[in-house]
Each structure stands twice: as structure tokens, then as C-alpha cells.
Amino acid sequence: MHRGRTLFACVLAALMSAAHALQVVDDRGVRIELPGPAQRIISLAPHITELLFAAGAGERIVGVVEYSNYPEAAKRLPRVGDTRSLDLERIIALRPDLVIVWLKGSPQTQLDVLTALRLPIYYNEPRVLDEIALTCAMNAARQQSLASSFTAEAAGAVAPHRGFRR
């Protein structure tokens, strides 16, 4: 089974998710869990910033690295370093609920510090464009399954009280 997951799928799954916990698998094959959709995202690669904006999540980005200059709105976001060095204090001060990094483009020793601080880190390593649609579909199906389970639970909880009026 190909473990390739894409940033685009992660973002779409987060945007599609309701208030329920979100689980996605990053490009290392590691499961990332969030209590709900990410609201404060830090992007640690220019291509990630572009994809976040393209997916409609630009307003959720609170920090980016140097050279994140597209679209124009990305130029106005706070800078948290570059591919060689991250400003860990600034990242922590921005209180992200998700950090999205380029697997081969970020300083691993600094990412290890963020991991030790229990910041959710999604590793992205784009390989093949054709995988994007498949991964999106798989994550969308998982989110739809979670939504269906919640709907069934809610219906079961409400059923005994049907017809009750205050």
C-alpha cells in the first residue's frame, strides 16, 4: 500500500470535518489527531502556504517561512524562520494547533523540539500529482463515515425524547 498522503488531503479533511476529532495520516505514515478542525496553522514551506490558500484555509494561517510570497496575502503573514532555521519562540507564541512541514525541507532537530512540546505536526512530501485526488477521496470517505456515525448516535439519543414538549 502506498503511504503517500498529501497536504491537500489533510487540509480538505480538516475543512470538511465538523466539531469532531480529526485523524489523518501524514507522508511519514504517522497518524495525526486533532480535537477539531485546525484554526491556527503554521506553514513551514512556501508550497504548503500556497496549497493552504488554494484550499480556502488562508485565514487560518498564523505563521509562514520566508519565501512564502504567493498569493499576495501570504506576504503579510508573520515569518517564523526559513528552511534552515526556525524561530521556535515565535512559533510557540503564535499558539498553533497544527504545524505543517515539508518532510525534507525543515530542520529536524528544531521540529523535534516542537514535537516534544506536543504540537501536532503534519509532514508533507509531495511525490506524484495523481495521488492527490485518491488521497482526498480516502480522507473524505473517512470523514463522511465519522459524520454518519455521529448522526446515528445523535438520532439514537434523541429518539427516546421524540414528542416531548416543554
Side-chain angles (χ1 to χ4, degrees):
M1 176 181 176
H2 195 290
R3 294 183 342 189
R5 301 287 187 242
T6 64
L7 165 69
F8 204 65
C10 176
V11 172
L12 288 178
L15 293 174
M16 291 170 40
S17 175
H20 290 78
L22 169 68
Q23 296 181 5
V24 293
V25 177
D26 72 8
D27 287 338
R28 300 169 302 164
V30 174
R31 182 181 311 272
I32 309 300
E33 296 185 32
L34 300 174
Q39 300 299 314
R40 300 184 58 79
I41 302 169
I42 290 184
S43 166
L44 296 183
H47 77 276
I48 293 169
T49 303
E50 289 182 33
L51 287 172
L52 286 166
F53 273 98
E59 73 281 352
R60 296 180 187 197
I61 304 171
V62 297
V64 297
V65 291
E66 292 298 325
Y67 307 109
S68 290
N69 56 12
Y70 185 83
E72 191 67 28
K75 293 178 182 178
R76 295 186 292 277
L77 292 168
R79 301 297 186 217
V80 297
D82 57 34
T83 57
R84 292 179 309 266
S85 179
L86 302 174
D87 184 342
L88 296 177
E89 290 179 1
R90 183 142 197 198
I91 291 172
I92 294 164
L94 289 170
R95 300 181 338 271
D97 51 16
L98 179 62
V99 179
I100 305 177
V101 305
W102 181 19
L103 185 62
K104 302 236 171 43
S106 301
Q108 190 59 52
T109 55
Q110 290 186 304
L111 294 176
D112 291 342
V113 172
L114 297 177
T115 299
L117 293 171
R118 298 190 183 271
L119 289 178
I121 300 177
Y122 181 95
Y123 284 81
N124 173 244
E125 182 64 27
R127 292 182 187 97
V128 180
L129 289 174
D130 292 347
E131 294 175 354
I132 293 173
L134 175 60
T135 306
C136 286
M138 289 170 43
N139 279 301
R142 181 184 343 216
Q143 295 308 312
Q144 182 60 43
S145 174
L146 289 172
S148 296
S149 295
F150 173 77
T151 302
E153 279 183 43
V158 170
H161 306 287
R162 281 205 169 86
F164 175 76
R165 296 182 188 260
R166 268 183 128 184

